[in-house]
C-alpha cells in the first residue's frame, strides 16, 4: 500500500509491483509537484488494484495487464506521455461507488487497451484519448458519458457492447476520417443521450452493428460497413448522410423520421432492408438496393421516393399520408407494392 505520492528520484526509473492480493495507491503517481520526476514505466500485477489517487502519470508504459480487477476510488486522469496504457483484456475496471470519472490519455504515441468496464459498478463518466489506437476487448458500461472523441482510431478485439445507463452522450471520433474497425459485433445503447459515430468499419468491416438511443439522436457522420446485420434505432430523427452497406445482413433503420441525403446516403445489402419512420415521414433521396431480398419502407405520415429503390419486392406504406414518387423506378428484379391512407 502506497499512502502518499509515488515519484522517481531521477529519469528512466521503472516501478513494478507484484502482489497476490491488493495493491493500493492512496496518493498520486506523478512528479510530486516538481520535486522529483515521473516514473518511466509503472507495472502492477495483482489480484486487485485500488486507485485512490487522482493522477497517474508515467513517461512510457502504464501496464496493468497483469491485474485482474482495477477499482477507481477517486476521479482520475491516467496519462502516458510516450507509451501505452494497458488494462487486462479479460479483467475488470470498476468504480468504487459509481461517482468516479476516469480519463485515459496517451499524449504523443501509444495505445489504450481496455478490458471489461463497469461490470460490477459503472464509472460516472469515461473519456479515452488515445494518440495511437483505442482497443476495446469487451463490454463497457458507464452511468454517463462515454467519450472516444479523442481517439481517432478505435479497434474492436472482441464482440462488445457499449452502454450508457443514465444521462450522457456516447461519442466516437470528431472527424470524417475517424474510424472504429474490427471483424466483431458492436452494440451501442444509450438510455438518455445521443450517439455519434463517424466511420464504422471503413478499413475492416464490423461483423454487425446495433445502435439504439432510448431518448436521444443517433448521428451517423460517416459511412457504415459490415458483413452482417445493421440495426440503427433513433428515438428522434434519423438522417443517413453517407453510405450504409452490409455484405449480406439485414439493414433496419428506425427513427421518428428517416431521411437519406441526396446521392451520398445510399443503403445497400444482399439482405432485407427495413426503413421505419415512427412519428413522421420517410424521405428517400439516394438509391436503396437489396441485391437479393426485399425492401420495406413505412412511415406514420408520408413516404417520398426521390431516388431508385430496388429489391425482390419493394413495399411502401404511408399509414397516415401519401406515397410520393418523383424518381424513375427501375426495379429489374421484382415489383412494387404501395399503400397509403392518402394519395399514391
Amino acid at each position: 500500500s502506497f499512502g502518499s505520492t509515488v515519484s522517481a528520484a531521477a529519469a528512466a526509473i521503472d516501478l513494478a509491483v507484484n502482489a497476490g492480493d491488493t495493491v493500493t495507491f492512496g496518493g498520486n503517481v506523478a512528479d510530486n509537484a516538481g520535486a522529483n520526476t515521473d516514473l518511466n514505466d509503472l507495472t502492477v500485477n495483482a489480484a486487485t488494484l485500488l486507485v485512490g489517487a487522482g493522477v497517474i502519470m508515467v513517461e512510457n508504459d502504464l501496464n496493468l495487464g497483469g491485474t485482474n480487477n482495477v477499482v477507481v476510488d477517486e476521479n482520475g486522469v491516467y496519462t502516458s506521455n510516450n507509451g501505452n496504457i494497458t488494462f487486462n483484456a479479460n479483467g475488470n475496471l470498476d468504480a468504487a461507488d459509481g461517482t468516479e470519472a476516469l480519463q485515459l490519455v496517451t499524449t504523443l504515441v501509444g495505445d489504450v487497451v481496455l478490458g471489461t468496464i463497469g461490470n460490477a459498478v459503472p464509472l460516472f463518466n469515461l473519456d479515452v484519448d488515445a494518440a495511437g489506437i483505442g482497443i476495446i476487448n469487451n463490454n463497457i458500461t458507464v452511468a454517463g458519458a462515454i467519450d472516444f472523441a479523442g481517439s481517432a482510431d478505435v479497434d474492436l478485439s472482441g464482440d462488445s457492447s457499449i452502454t450508457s445507463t443514465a444521462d450522457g452522450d456516447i461519442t466516437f471520433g470528431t472527424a470524417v476520417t475517424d474510424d472504429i474497425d474490427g471483424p466483431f459485433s458492436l452494440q451501442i445503447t444509450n438510455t438518455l443521450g445521443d450517439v455519434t459515430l463517424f466511420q464504422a468499419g471503413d478499413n475492416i468491416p464490423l461483423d454487425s452493428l446495433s445502435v439504439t438511443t432510448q431518448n436521444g439522436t443517433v448521428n451517423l457522420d460517416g459511412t457504415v460497413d459490415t458483413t452482417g446485420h445493421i440495426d440503427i434505432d433513433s428515438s428522434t430523427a434519423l438522417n443517413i448522410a453517407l453510405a450504409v452497406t452490409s455484405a449480406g445482413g439485414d439493414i433496419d433503420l428506425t427513427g421518428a423520421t428517416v431521411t437519406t441525403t441526396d446521392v451520398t446516403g445510399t443503403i445497400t445489402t444482399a439482405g432485407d432492408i427495413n426503413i421505419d419512420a415512427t412519428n413522421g415521414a420517410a424521405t428517400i433521396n439516394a438509391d436503396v438496393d437489396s441485391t437479393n431480398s426485399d425492401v420495406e419502407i413505412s412511415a406514420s405520415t408520408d413516404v417520398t421516393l426521390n431516388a431508385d429503390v430496388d429489391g425482390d419486392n419493394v413495399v411502401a406504406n404511408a399509414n397516415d399520408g401519401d406515397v410520393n414518387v418523383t424518381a424513375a423506378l427501375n426495379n429489374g428484379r421484382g415489383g412494387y407494392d404501395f399503400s397509403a391512407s392518402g394519395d399514391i
Side-chain angles (χ1 to χ4, degrees):
S1 179
F2 300 86
S4 59
T5 299
V6 177
S7 58
I13 293 177
D14 300 334
L15 175 63
V17 183
N18 300 294
D21 196 351
T22 301
V23 173
T24 301
F25 285 108
N28 292 335
V29 181
D31 65 2
N32 197 17
N36 294 308
T37 190
D38 297 328
L39 293 168
N40 185 52
D41 290 341
L42 173 62
T43 301
V44 180
N45 300 306
T48 299
L49 172 61
L50 177 62
V51 186
V55 175
I56 296 178
M57 180 175 287
V58 298
E59 284 304 309
N60 197 32
D61 291 333
L62 172 59
N63 187 356
L64 308 179
T67 297
N68 294 328
N69 300 289
V70 177
V71 179
V72 178
D73 197 19
E74 179 71 31
N75 290 339
V77 180
Y78 305 167
T79 304
S80 167
N81 288 324
N82 293 283
N84 302 320
I85 297 176
T86 303
F87 292 87
N88 190 333
N90 299 308
N92 296 293
L93 169 63
D94 289 295
D97 62 18
T99 62
E100 298 83 7
L102 180 62
Q103 182 181 17
L104 303 171
V105 182
T106 55
T107 306
L108 299 177
V109 296
D111 302 337
V112 176
V113 181
L114 303 171
T116 299
I117 298 177
N119 184 57
V121 182
L123 295 164
F124 182 68
N125 288 314
L126 174 67
D127 184 356
V128 179
D129 301 316
I133 303 172
I135 300 174
I136 298 173
N137 286 285
N138 217 313
N139 300 335
I140 297 174
T141 304
V142 173
I146 301 173
D147 189 353
F148 282 81
S151 300
D153 189 357
V154 177
D155 284 357
L156 299 179
S157 288
D159 294 340
S160 303
S161 67
I162 312 294
T163 305
S164 173
T165 62
D167 188 3
D169 295 337
I170 299 175
T171 306
F172 286 89
T174 58
V176 73
T177 55
D178 294 352
D179 195 13
I180 181 166
D181 281 315
F184 298 97
S185 296
L186 176 61
Q187 180 178 351
I188 301 174
T189 305
N190 200 344
T191 302
L192 183 58
D194 299 339
V195 174
T196 299
L197 291 174
F198 283 80
Q199 304 294 342
D202 185 48
N203 296 306
I204 302 173
L206 307 178
D207 278 0
S208 64
L209 175 65
S210 173
V211 182
T212 301
T213 54
Q214 297 175 6
N215 191 3
T217 300
V218 177
N219 300 303
L220 297 179
D221 293 329
T223 61
V224 175
D225 196 347
T226 72
T227 57
H229 189 202
I230 298 172
D231 184 9
I232 310 296
D233 190 346
S234 176
S235 67
T236 63
L238 177 61
N239 296 304
I240 306 298
L242 296 171
V244 175
T245 305
S246 171
D250 293 345
I251 297 178
D252 298 309
L253 304 175
T254 304
T257 61
V258 179
T259 304
T260 64
T261 298
D262 184 29
V263 180
T264 60
T266 58
I267 302 167
T268 308
T269 183
D272 291 340
I273 297 174
N274 300 292
I275 300 171
D276 189 9
T278 59
N279 193 33
T283 306
I284 306 303
N285 296 311
D287 290 350
V288 176
D289 189 4
S290 171
T291 60
N292 198 40
S293 199
D294 301 330
V295 177
E296 182 171 349
I297 303 170
S298 298
S300 64
T301 58
D302 296 340
V303 173
T304 300
L305 305 181
N306 296 323
D308 193 21
V309 181
D310 293 344
D312 291 348
N313 190 48
V314 175
V315 175
N317 299 312
N319 294 307
D320 191 17
D322 303 333
V323 174
N324 305 299
V325 180
T326 66
L329 300 179
N330 300 302
N331 188 5
R333 296 193 311 280
Y336 293 96
D337 182 2
F338 295 165
S339 65
S341 64
D343 296 333
I344 299 177

